[in-house]
Amino acid sequence: MTNEQSSILKNMTVEEATQLQHRLVDEISKEFSNNEFFQVGDVGLHPGYKRPKMTAKVEHVLQQTFDAEACALVRGSGTGAIRLVLSVLLEPGDACIVHTGPMYPTTKETFRMMGIQPVAVNFNKPQSILEALKHHEEAKVFFVQHARQQPTDTYDLREVIHYVKQHRPDLPIVVDDNYCAMKMKGIGVQYGADYSTFSGFKLLGPTGIGIILGKKSGVEQIHVRNYSGGGQVQGFEAHELVRSLVMAPVMLALQNQQVEELYTRLNQGEVKGLKQIYVTNSQSKNVIVELEKPIAEAVIRSAATYGAATYPVGAESRFELLPMIYRVSGTFLEKRPELKAYGLRINPMKASASTVIRILTCSLADAARDC
């Protein structure tokens, strides 16, 4: 692992995203024939699959697309996916190696409710990982979040996975790929992890569906444990999910272009009253603005009146077309609480950088006048 790495994760280009879209559709064409794809799906426990047949077929499409041994579509979005994988690999009281950065709130709750004992290690320092692997042989899982947990994170996911497998090949690696799947050049299982977990909702899919990719043994246990017709992702939901996923990569790559354009234009001084502008992977890739005056909350209130979204729904879900101007993430505030008064998190979503600049300019003027 290099000593000087950027905290910014590298998104796919539009061309690379197009290739992923085409690969996904190619896998769909291999799984469905004779216009079968126009039948939107069954419900319940199909005798041959113990889950809806359409769900099983979509799982196979995703398994192939992401180079995994198996796939499970589950309830509970990304959080549910993480909980189910950890429930297969860990018992209450077991130790799990995690990063020292603030844990995502729902993941933290998963650890609490399952009685998992976190062993915090600084993933930014390879030597710290090595020492933890040597001195914590009791750890049963290595859990790593693909997206950044704090502004100072610089670890490279692929290198972390390689490092762990080199020194503890027996240790299962679970990756939280939320906010990164279909944006970055690869996900955890494609880099050698045992399991990847993420939410379909963050990829324009229907609400509530989590995606698990990884080892066949663990995924099959999840299917067996979910022997309940009402607990299944029904066939029509799985069909809707895969239709949505086809649209996600290119749209997210275009959004990334607008994030970078916004960052450039703000740094060129198009909007007054800004002290510092930078890009972070605080959950989604955002532009973080530090204001000259402590008026962030007033700016956010004003932005709503000009058409901005001022809170997230699912971090780039299908409902989030309008640009978001919001407070910085909770995990970032743990490290820098002063950003509550001075900081803005801006995601263009499906809007242009120009739309964001128009709204931000008007909102700053209103907030300065009111304060």
Side-chain angles (χ1 to χ4, degrees):
M1 218 177 293
T2 58
N3 291 326
E4 294 183 2
Q5 290 183 343
S6 172
S7 65
I8 307 303
L9 300 171
K10 191 171 183 180
N11 288 57
M12 286 188 289
T13 65
V14 173
E15 291 75 17
E16 291 167 332
T18 302
Q19 291 174 13
L20 178 56
Q21 173 187 310
H22 290 167
R23 179 174 182 186
L24 177 55
V25 175
D26 187 51
E27 295 298 340
I28 293 171
S29 74
K30 295 174 185 176
E31 186 69 27
F32 296 90
S33 59
N34 299 315
N35 296 313
E36 184 184 15
F37 194 70
F38 290 152
Q39 307 302 313
V40 296
D42 54 330
V43 297
L45 302 175
H46 186 283
Y49 299 91
K50 308 305 180 187
R51 57 192 185 280
K53 179 180 179 180
M54 177 62 74
T55 301
K57 290 174 78 66
V58 170
E59 287 169 344
H60 188 253
V61 166
L62 297 180
Q63 166 198 331
Q64 293 296 106
T65 301
F66 289 101
D67 308 303
E69 289 184 11
C71 174
L73 300 181
V74 300
R75 295 289 180 193
S77 297
T79 297
I82 292 169
R83 285 177 182 168
L84 285 169
V85 169
L86 293 180
S87 75
V88 166
L89 300 173
L90 295 168
E91 296 293 335
D94 282 348
C96 177
I97 295 176
V98 299
H99 183 38
T100 50
M103 190 177 288
Y104 194 69
T106 57
T107 304
K108 187 176 182 179
E109 175 62 12
T110 292
F111 273 61
R112 185 203 66 78
M113 68 188 294
M114 292 181 62
I116 301 170
Q117 301 302 312
V119 177
V121 178
N122 187 351
F123 291 172
N124 299 310
K125 297 180 178 180
Q127 188 60 35
S128 296
I129 298 175
L130 177 59
E131 290 174 2
L133 295 175
K134 287 181 177 179
H135 299 138
H136 292 281
E137 293 185 357
E138 78 282 5
K140 300 293 182 64
V141 168
F142 189 98
F143 180 83
V144 54
Q145 182 175 301
H146 196 158
R148 298 309 189 197
Q149 293 176 229
Q150 56 192 354
T152 54
D153 283 340
T154 58
Y155 62 83
D156 179 273
L157 178 67
R158 186 198 295 264
E159 294 182 7
V160 168
I161 292 169
H162 175 75
Y163 201 71
V164 173
K165 287 300 181 183
Q166 184 180 20
H167 293 91
R168 280 281 303 274
D170 61 305
L171 187 64
I173 300 175
V174 177
V175 178
D176 175 358
D177 278 298
N178 283 296
Y179 311 105
C180 294
M182 292 191 144
K183 290 184 188 176
M184 308 309 163
K185 295 178 184 292
I187 61 173
V189 289
Q190 293 173 306
Y191 295 155
D194 297 272
Y195 297 94
S196 279
T197 59
F198 53 95
S199 169
F201 188 50
K202 294 178 174 63
L203 297 168
L204 309 182
T207 58
I209 298 177
I211 300 169
I212 299 170
L213 293 152
K215 297 294 184 184
K216 187 176 181 180
S217 57
V219 171
E220 285 184 344
Q221 281 192 60
I222 290 168
H223 284 312
V224 169
R225 291 180 180 183
N226 191 32
Y227 190 77
S228 166
Q232 304 297 323
V233 171
Q234 305 298 341
F236 65 90
E237 296 174 300
H239 195 282
E240 184 181 358
L241 172 68
V242 78
R243 296 197 315 268
S244 302
L245 294 183
V246 169
M247 307 301 173
V250 173
M251 186 172 290
L252 290 168
L254 292 172
Q255 177 179 305
N256 180 63
Q257 287 183 340
Q258 294 307 303
V259 170
E260 293 178 353
E261 180 181 330
L262 178 64
Y263 166 76
T264 298
R265 291 173 62 179
L266 292 180
N267 271 296
Q268 290 173 344
E270 284 197 38
V271 178
K272 305 302 180 185
L274 312 184
K275 180 181 179 181
Q276 191 172 2
I277 306 102
Y278 45 94
V279 175
T280 71
N281 285 103
S282 47
Q283 299 174 8
S284 305
K285 188 174 181 179
N286 300 281
V287 175
I288 302 297
V289 171
E290 293 188 26
L291 305 174
E292 292 177 349
K293 299 179 180 179
I295 57 173
E297 293 181 353
V299 172
I300 292 168
R301 287 194 301 270
S302 182
T305 68
Y306 290 102
T310 55
Y311 61 89
V313 177
E316 300 161 355
S317 71
R318 60 174 58 185
F319 303 107
E320 292 167 293
L321 306 180
L322 295 167
M324 184 183 73
I325 299 177
Y326 185 43
R327 63 165 176 79
V328 299
S329 69
T331 51
F332 275 38
L333 284 176
E334 284 187 38
K335 287 290 184 180
R336 295 192 58 195
E338 74 277 7
L339 291 181
K340 182 176 181 180
Y342 286 91
L344 300 173
R345 176 177 20 157
I346 304 175
N347 188 329
M349 298 296 182
K350 311 309 179 286
S352 68
S354 295
T355 296
V356 175
I357 287 172
R358 172 182 61 80
I359 293 174
L360 183 60
T361 300
C362 294
S363 302
L364 279 163
D366 286 355
R369 185 165 50 249
D370 293 343
C371 293

